[in-house]
Amino acid sequence: MMDGRIQMSDVRSKKPYFWYKNKNKMSKITLFFLSVLFAVTGFVFCSSCQSQKSANKDIVAPAYTKISPDFNADSAYSFIGKQVSFGPRVPGTTAHKACGDYLSAKLAGFGTDVFEQKANVMHYNGQNIEIRNIIGSYQLEKEKRILLFAHWDSRPFADEETDPEKQNKPISGADDGASGVGVLLEIARQLQKRPTDVGIDIIFFDLEDWGQATFDKNYVSGEWWCVGSRYWSENPHTVGYKASYGILLDMVGAANATFLYEGYSMQHASNVVSKIWNIASNLGYGRFFVQRNGSYITDDHVPIIENRGIPCANIINLKDTYNGFAPHWHTHNDDMRNISKETINAVGQTVLEMIYREK
Ligand code: AHN
Ligand code: ZN
């Protein structure tokens, strides 16, 4: 009983096997093994704690490294203001001609190969309108290409106004038209400084916004929206033009804009949409790029999807209003007061990041 060996009675009394009735007799060897055991379990436990901590850190805050150059919202803002300063860019007017010349010169100045596509189309009112699509291309030798586009014309009437007097006047279109073009001009300025791995084509489409007015009682059936992009989609400036995908910027300038998942974009380019919206979220622009379904909008991306088979995503400010758009849409409130540098920065930086990540 007193020789230090384990007794059956000790086991039954649930004392651990290394329990000794006489602690003084605990052998030095046993003490040594015990301390080794504690040291090893302590080390294993602590190191597993450490790795657990760093694993948790990775899950909570995934590191995202922006690889694109900084988009300059002041610069984009000034390009929007310049377009608006010409007056409404209604096809057939001197303001339209002057703004077209400005856009073409800007694209050339930013180092693109410029191609202007001109054509005459018959519109629903019997008017013959000359359209002018303005195209700027980077690195034409590259086979893999991405298409970025916006419309540069502005609507000849303000049919969302209630006063008939106001309805018949053309809108400034700071958001509806000029914003997308302004953001793309700033992207072009960045592309001149540092090229992407893929080729980029920028197209400013004409005659997007002369769809028949809601107040017009002589309804004429036909495709009266997106005429410039439809023309180009059937007659591309280079034979068999192809791009991996396209991104349309339409009404991307308003404060608190919400870019929902537009219907046709989801139907034909859901992978492009998820990439764009994920990048926006990673860059901290989730407030603008809301991950929620929006409505289907007949816009410049539709003829390009249909006729060229290019998957296109539309970045467009969609709202839960009766017409689906922001309150200034097709009214005289669509002027520079609506343009937010925060919004154009979110859009410009997201699109830049998207194209600089392309290999
Ligand atoms: C429709 O209202 C069906 N499409 C409008 C597309 C548009 C007009 N984008 C800007 N202005
Ligand atoms: Zn419009």
Side-chain angles (χ1 to χ4, degrees):
M1 286 292 270
M2 306 294 282
D3 64 359
R5 285 178 298 158
I6 300 170
Q7 302 299 309
M8 280 309 285
S9 58
D10 292 330
V11 175
R12 267 188 251 111
S13 69
K14 299 232 172 69
K15 283 183 177 136
Y17 73 91
F18 52 78
W19 186 262
Y20 291 82
K21 290 222 155 123
N22 187 340
K23 287 186 189 105
N24 294 334
K25 284 199 171 176
M26 190 188 278
S27 78
K28 281 183 181 154
I29 294 168
T30 314
L31 260 178
F32 171 77
F33 279 117
L34 275 177
S35 32
V36 169
L37 182 72
F38 280 125
V40 168
T41 45
F43 174 77
V44 169
F45 182 72
C46 283
S47 55
S48 77
C49 271
Q50 280 307 110
S51 62
Q52 192 73 30
K53 266 184 209 155
S54 58
N56 282 344
K57 210 172 100 202
D58 287 345
I59 293 162
V60 172
Y64 185 85
T65 314
K66 174 171 89 69
I67 62 161
S68 52
D70 289 343
F71 184 84
N72 187 324
D74 294 326
S75 170
Y77 187 91
S78 77
F79 297 145
I80 299 169
K82 179 72 184 179
Q83 293 170 76
V84 172
S85 76
F86 290 106
R89 284 83 62 213
V90 174
T93 65
T94 53
H96 179 269
K97 165 86 174 81
C99 186
D101 293 347
Y102 161 75
L103 297 176
S104 186
K106 279 316 248 187
L107 283 179
F110 292 145
T112 69
D113 279 308
V114 177
F115 188 91
E116 289 204 30
Q117 180 176 59
K118 288 181 177 170
N120 285 293
V121 297
M122 186 66 80
H123 215 36
Y124 66 84
N125 52 11
Q127 204 177 323
N128 190 281
I129 300 172
E130 187 183 67
I131 54 168
R132 181 181 185 186
N133 292 327
I134 304 166
I135 302 148
S137 296
Y138 285 103
Q139 306 183 85
L140 280 168
E141 71 284 358
K142 296 251 159 112
E143 202 185 323
K144 180 169 175 183
R145 313 202 61 77
I146 294 167
L147 174 62
L148 307 176
F149 54 108
H151 77 89
W152 73 277
D153 63 309
S154 49
R155 189 156 175 78
F157 16 76
D159 42 351
E160 294 296 319
E161 292 281 357
T162 41
D163 178 353
E165 182 100 21
K166 289 182 180 169
Q167 283 184 336
N168 267 309
K169 294 196 175 80
I171 62 166
S172 285
D175 191 21
D176 192 355
S179 68
V181 171
V183 168
L184 291 181
L185 278 180
E186 170 57 12
I187 286 175
R189 197 176 72 88
Q190 297 294 338
L191 286 168
Q192 181 179 37
K193 292 195 274 184
R194 195 212 318 172
T196 44
D197 289 342
V198 297
I200 305 288
D201 300 296
I202 294 172
I203 308 188
F204 300 146
F205 286 117
D206 202 356
L207 200 58
E208 186 273 345
D209 227 349
W210 202 325
Q212 214 173 346
T214 50
F215 56 72
D216 192 337
K217 297 288 171 270
N218 302 312
Y219 174 76
V220 184
S221 98
E223 306 270 14
W224 310 122
W225 297 98
C226 311
V227 175
S229 55
R230 186 166 300 278
Y231 181 85
W232 176 84
S233 73
E234 288 161 355
N235 310 276
H237 64 295
T238 54
V239 180
Y241 177 87
K242 200 74 185 122
S244 301
Y245 62 83
I247 304 176
L248 166 59
L249 276 59
D250 191 14
M251 302 189 278
V252 294
N256 303 313
T258 44
F259 308 116
L260 309 183
Y261 297 149
E262 184 275 325
Y264 296 107
S265 310
M266 287 306 274
Q267 201 177 324
H268 300 279
S270 63
N271 59 331
V272 181
V273 170
S274 0
K275 260 185 169 177
I276 298 172
W277 266 251
N278 281 337
I279 284 176
S281 154
N282 283 329
L283 292 173
Y285 305 133
R287 177 161 83 82
F288 301 102
F289 287 79
V290 180
Q291 304 195 1
R292 167 160 77 83
N293 286 334
S295 51
Y296 286 76
I297 307 297
T298 303
D299 212 339
D300 285 328
H301 62 322
V302 173
I304 297 172
I305 291 169
E306 282 176 359
N307 297 327
R308 301 240 57 80
I310 299 172
C312 294
N314 189 2
I315 302 177
I316 182 167
N317 184 10
L318 298 175
K319 296 288 179 198
D320 296 321
T321 51
Y322 86 96
N323 57 31
F325 300 111
H328 59 270
W329 184 65
H330 292 179
T331 74
H332 297 296
N333 289 328
D334 184 0
D335 59 23
M336 286 308 283
R337 288 170 304 171
N338 266 304
I339 303 301
S340 150
K341 287 184 186 175
E342 222 191 318
T343 307
I344 53 180
N345 182 62
V347 174
Q349 194 64 69
T350 299
V351 175
L352 271 183
E353 185 69 8
M354 183 81 177
I355 62 175
Y356 279 89
R357 282 192 172 267
E358 227 42 76
K359 291 265 169 265

